[in-house]
Amino acid sequence: MEMSSKLLEKAVAEISQLPGIGKRTALRLALHLLKQPEEHTRLLTESLQKMREDIRFCNSCHNISDTDVCLICANTSRDRTVICVVEDIRDVMAIENTSLFKGIYHVLGGKISPIDGVGPSQLNIVTLIDKVKAGGVKELIFALSSTMEGDTTNFYIYRQIKDYNIITSAIARGIAVGDELEFADEVTLGRSIIHRVPFENSIRSL
Amino acid sequence: MEMSSKLLEKAVAEISQLPGIGKRTALRLALHLLKQPEEHTRLLTESLQKMREDIRFCNSCHNISDTDVCLICANTSRDRTVICVVEDIRDVMAIENTSLFKGIYHVLGGKISPIDGVGPSQLNIVTLIDKVKAGGVKELIFALSSTMEGDTTNFYIYRQIKDYNIITSAIARGIAVGDELEFADEVTLGRSIIHRVPFENSIRSL
């Protein structure tokens, strides 16, 4: 699109580098900022810049953090013997939102995926194995996505810690609460039957 | 959503101030920037900041510009006797993309809309009337959107310039090139019949 301002053109080009944002949306956002007081743009750019420069990752669980050790790991009321293994910090946020998990996390930073060139060494796997080896861990909960890559990653970790006498579990897969059976895929429905739970437990968990 | 970093939380809050961007998308964008080299964030924030601080509006047509007079107004090969009146700088870009208009523009900056509290004084109407009064303008082409507000604005301007002996026109409304008649709304189809053009012209314009 032809623009009468190089400054606008440059800003639109930069905004449209962001994932899921096309040229048209980028232009809309840029024009919005131009209509707002300069203060708005300053607050936006400063917060982005500050986030990018100052954010750290927790030394222990690799979760995003403003300090060397994240608030979850530093919280003494959390059960440090139960570790939930997740791909991404977004998964930590999602589980934290349930308020039902009292253990700590370990963020791998991805899944093993040879096609994308991601091997075990690019993920935070060694630090997880070391935690198990160091003792004090009772249970590892695998909460990776149920894809081939997720399964591969789970299995890779499992093989290295299976001799350490800890419980390993995986989050339950099944029909979402409120969903209709007829619209569920067969694999999910099949798993939900095989991994059925005692009726009293099913009431309690709701 | 609970986040383990205040820096991230702040950035997400700022991003989600943008129109059409929710919390979830804002988080996705913030995490994307965190995964990219710091350079990316720097280029983005600098271009936004520079755009917001340095951009100007053309003294003559109120189009967005890096200089006091925009490139279109400053272009001596454009016909300064024909002025196309538009709401927004996006309309200028859209018409420029057709490469079919050789006149100049006048950007009103909106439409008269009492409901939204926008009166004639908030728009760039006086400078347009002054241009007409100063002489040298042969034709005014109204290219506002065909809404009640657009029609009101057109008529408001028309009343003030109708005694100055210039041609006033409005862009053609009709069935879009390539569209099927059966899916067109009645108003558009009706207008396209009333404002039909000589067959030879219709071929030429394609």
Side-chain angles (χ1 to χ4, degrees):
Chain A
M1 204 177 285
E2 190 76 35
M3 292 182 200
S4 55
S5 160
K6 293 284 164 209
L7 291 168
L8 177 64
E9 217 165 90
K10 180 101 184 23
V12 168
E14 285 296 336
I15 300 172
S16 57
Q17 298 267 320
L18 294 169
I21 307 243
K23 275 250 165 187
R24 210 174 263 270
T25 306
L27 178 61
R28 192 166 52 78
L29 297 178
L31 293 180
H32 169 83
L33 289 176
L34 286 175
K35 277 189 188 164
Q36 302 291 315
E38 282 196 28
E39 182 73 0
H40 283 224
T41 304
R42 207 179 47 71
L43 285 173
L44 172 66
T45 57
E46 277 179 8
S47 68
L48 289 180
Q49 199 60 45
K50 210 165 154 44
M51 171 192 79
R52 188 62 191 82
E53 278 168 12
D54 296 351
I55 226 163
R56 279 178 269 181
F57 292 92
C58 174
N59 284 344
S60 176
C61 74
H62 310 286
N63 187 13
I64 216 160
S65 176
D66 296 345
T67 43
D68 286 341
V69 173
C70 79
L71 296 174
I72 298 171
C73 286
N75 185 341
T76 50
S77 70
R78 309 281 303 216
D79 182 355
R80 307 183 60 79
T81 65
V82 181
I83 299 178
C84 182
V85 182
V86 295
E87 277 168 52
D88 208 68
I89 52 179
R90 258 179 293 192
D91 303 325
V92 174
M93 291 178 203
I95 297 175
E96 282 299 287
N97 273 343
T98 69
S99 309
L100 288 175
F101 180 62
K102 301 299 176 204
I104 58 173
Y105 297 91
H106 190 91
V107 181
L108 296 178
K111 293 169 288 190
I112 296 173
S113 173
I115 286 178
D116 303 317
V118 181
S121 59
Q122 277 124 296
L123 304 174
N124 304 315
I125 291 181
V126 174
T127 49
L128 176 62
I129 309 291
D130 285 348
K131 269 188 216 169
V132 174
K133 283 183 185 168
V137 178
K138 282 192 199 144
E139 181 177 358
L140 228 54
I141 305 173
F142 289 110
L144 304 202
S145 57
S146 55
T147 57
M148 184 135 74
E149 290 81 16
D151 291 344
T152 304
T153 312
N154 287 342
F155 196 66
Y156 179 89
I157 297 169
Y158 175 76
R159 273 198 317 194
Q160 297 189 57
I161 51 105
K162 70 174 165 21
D163 298 333
Y164 285 90
N165 194 31
I166 63 171
I167 300 166
T168 47
S169 60
I171 56 166
R173 305 285 174 177
I175 308 296
V177 178
D179 263 15
E180 310 257 11
L181 295 204
E182 57 175 324
F183 301 124
D185 66 287
E186 297 86 351
V187 179
T188 303
L189 187 53
R191 283 213 201 183
S192 78
I193 290 172
I194 292 170
H195 299 138
R196 63 193 177 278
V197 296
F199 182 63
E200 306 85 57
N201 295 6
S202 79
I203 296 169
R204 199 173 50 192
S205 70
L206 283 177
Chain B
M1 202 178 286
E2 191 75 35
M3 292 182 201
S4 55
S5 159
K6 291 286 166 212
L7 291 168
L8 178 65
E9 216 164 90
K10 180 103 183 23
V12 168
E14 285 296 335
I15 300 172
S16 57
Q17 299 267 318
L18 294 170
I21 306 243
K23 275 251 166 188
R24 210 174 264 268
T25 305
L27 178 61
R28 191 165 53 76
L29 297 179
L31 294 180
H32 169 82
L33 288 176
L34 286 175
K35 276 188 189 166
Q36 301 291 315
E38 281 195 31
E39 181 74 359
H40 284 225
T41 304
R42 207 178 48 71
L43 286 173
L44 172 67
T45 57
E46 277 180 7
S47 68
L48 289 179
Q49 199 60 45
K50 209 164 156 43
M51 172 192 78
R52 187 63 192 83
E53 278 169 11
D54 295 352
I55 226 162
R56 279 178 269 180
F57 292 93
C58 174
N59 284 344
S60 176
C61 75
H62 311 286
N63 186 14
I64 216 160
S65 176
D66 296 345
T67 44
D68 286 340
V69 173
C70 79
L71 297 175
I72 297 171
C73 287
N75 185 343
T76 50
S77 70
R78 308 280 305 215
D79 183 356
R80 306 183 61 78
T81 66
V82 181
I83 300 178
C84 182
V85 182
V86 295
E87 276 168 52
D88 208 70
I89 53 179
R90 258 178 293 192
D91 303 325
V92 175
M93 291 178 202
I95 298 175
E96 282 299 287
N97 272 344
T98 68
S99 308
L100 288 175
F101 181 62
K102 301 299 177 202
I104 58 173
Y105 297 91
H106 189 91
V107 181
L108 296 178
K111 293 167 289 189
I112 295 172
S113 172
I115 286 178
D116 303 315
V118 181
S121 60
Q122 276 125 298
L123 304 175
N124 304 316
I125 291 181
V126 174
T127 50
L128 176 62
I129 310 290
D130 286 347
K131 269 188 216 171
V132 173
K133 283 184 184 168
V137 177
K138 283 192 197 141
E139 182 176 358
L140 228 54
I141 305 173
F142 289 111
L144 304 202
S145 56
S146 55
T147 57
M148 184 133 77
E149 290 81 14
D151 291 345
T152 305
T153 313
N154 287 342
F155 196 66
Y156 179 88
I157 297 169
Y158 175 76
R159 275 196 319 193
Q160 297 190 58
I161 51 108
K162 70 174 164 22
D163 298 332
Y164 285 91
N165 192 30
I166 62 169
I167 301 165
T168 46
S169 60
I171 56 165
R173 306 284 175 180
I175 308 296
V177 177
D179 262 15
E180 311 256 11
L181 296 203
E182 60 176 321
F183 301 125
D185 66 287
E186 297 87 352
V187 179
T188 302
L189 187 53
R191 283 212 201 183
S192 78
I193 289 171
I194 291 170
H195 299 139
R196 62 193 178 278
V197 296
F199 182 62
E200 305 87 56
N201 295 6
S202 79
I203 296 170
R204 202 174 48 194
S205 69
L206 283 176

